[in-house]
Amino acid sequence: MNTERASALLLVAMYQRLDGVAGTEVEVNKLPGWEDLGDERLLTLTAHLERAGMAVSGLAASGMSWCLSPAGVLRAENLLEQRNRPVIRYDTALNGLITAATDKFPKHRLKVQDFLSSEHAQILDDVLTLDEIFSAIDYLETEQFVTVERDASRPTAITLTPRGRKCGWNTKVDVQGFLAGQHPVGIQNSWSVEVYGGANQIGPGNVQTNNFGLNAEQVMKLVREVKGLVPSMDVPDPVRERITEDVEALEREAEREEPQPARMRRLLEALRENLDPAKTTSFGAAAAAAQSVISLMM
């Protein structure tokens, strides 16, 4: 399991043990299911969370005591919420099937049973259902990404077609983005714990290289995060409305066939200005969103 995914799972495990309370210490080597991972690996994961601003080391001399930061609590809640969204689960199944079949080089034939026991069939700490997997297989077959072997109408194995292999050989597998013109605009099966990153990226957005190191995919990631934070922001209603307007304008620009870098930067600056007043309050959703904007513009 790679560090991004493992650290996201650890973040959620800490959140669940602490009942979502920031600042309370927990010994990560005593969390159920994490006892046997080993101190060295746990220290790597907690250091990753600390660098992302999600966790803070506790007082215990062992180095195994950690607290969640407010940003860590927010991120864990977001991961758990996204885990249960049908559209995200469906996209996870699509991308996971193509990825797992691509790994079966050179035949690219994947047994459904093997997929079920792989990480590709998991969304955070939950395994996709058979119905979700079968539905994704039917879709991939209709779109000519796979050929399907069946037993009494139930899929038992898939084999990638040339089109499926072409999709699977991309650095990031994105079935919906491939269908939309081979731009990575669908949900990315990633569990990054960075403030403006995210497990499962959702929604449309064209990838464009811009002259200030920003592209539309990055902007769409920010848009999706800020949209999720708006309801819980500790700001007056007029400010909340302006923030919503800024985000919607930013989303429209990022979705254009040829997004304008200068306009996206102006919209980002407007969003940052509207978030600034909230920085004087407690570290809440608005402050987290403001930090995301600043990080993206750096």
Side-chain angles (χ1 to χ4, degrees), residues 132-145:
E132 289 171 328
I133 294 170
F134 291 161
S135 177
I137 289 175
D138 288 344
Y139 180 80
L140 292 172
E141 183 181 34
T142 299
E143 296 295 336
Q144 300 180 344
F145 282 88

Side-chain angles (χ1 to χ4, degrees), residues 63-250:
M64 293 292 106
S65 178
W66 289 82
C67 310
L68 289 182
S69 68
V73 170
L74 185 67
R75 187 65 185 135
E77 290 174 345
N78 179 257
L79 286 172
L80 289 169
E81 178 185 358
Q82 298 299 306
R83 178 190 64 182
N84 298 319
R85 293 191 62 191
V87 64
I88 291 179
R89 296 180 67 86
Y90 185 67
D91 217 62
T92 298
L94 292 175
N95 296 339
L97 284 162
I98 294 295
T99 300
T102 301
D103 291 344
K104 297 291 185 179
F105 184 85
K107 293 184 177 180
H108 299 296
R109 180 179 180 272
L110 172 69
K111 295 181 179 178
V112 173
Q113 191 62 41
D114 291 343
F115 178 69
L116 273 169
S117 59
S118 73
E119 288 184 5
H120 298 298
Q122 297 176 3
I123 178 163
L124 199 56
D125 56 350
D126 191 35
V127 179
L128 297 167
T129 67
L130 277 175
D131 285 343
E132 289 171 328
I133 294 170
F134 291 161
S135 177
I137 289 175
D138 288 344
Y139 180 80
L140 292 172
E141 183 181 34
T142 299
E143 296 295 336
Q144 300 180 344
F145 282 88
V146 302
T147 58
V148 183
E149 300 169 39
R150 290 181 169 84
D151 181 13
S153 78
R154 291 170 65 90
T156 57
I158 62 172
T159 301
L160 295 183
T161 63
R163 188 184 199 193
R165 295 183 188 190
K166 188 175 181 181
C167 177
W169 288 341
N170 286 305
T171 303
K172 287 186 177 181
V173 175
D174 176 13
V175 171
Q176 300 289 11
F178 187 92
L179 289 171
Q182 301 184 24
H183 295 300
V185 300
I187 299 169
Q188 302 299 326
N189 194 15
S190 166
W191 296 97
S192 169
V193 294
E194 294 178 7
V195 174
Y196 64 90
N200 320 70
Q201 301 304 327
I202 233 182
N206 298 315
V207 174
Q208 302 285 337
T209 301
N210 297 318
N211 58 16
F212 53 85
L214 191 68
N215 63 45
E217 182 185 14
Q218 292 174 309
V219 172
M220 287 304 297
K221 287 180 180 181
L222 174 69
V223 165
R224 291 187 289 269
E225 181 180 357
V226 176
K227 275 189 171 182
L229 294 175
V230 167
S232 56
M233 284 183 179
D234 47 348
V235 297
D237 287 341
V239 176
R240 191 192 313 277
E241 291 174 4
R242 289 197 296 272
I243 291 170
T244 300
E245 291 173 359
D246 291 340
V247 172
E248 290 175 349
L250 194 57

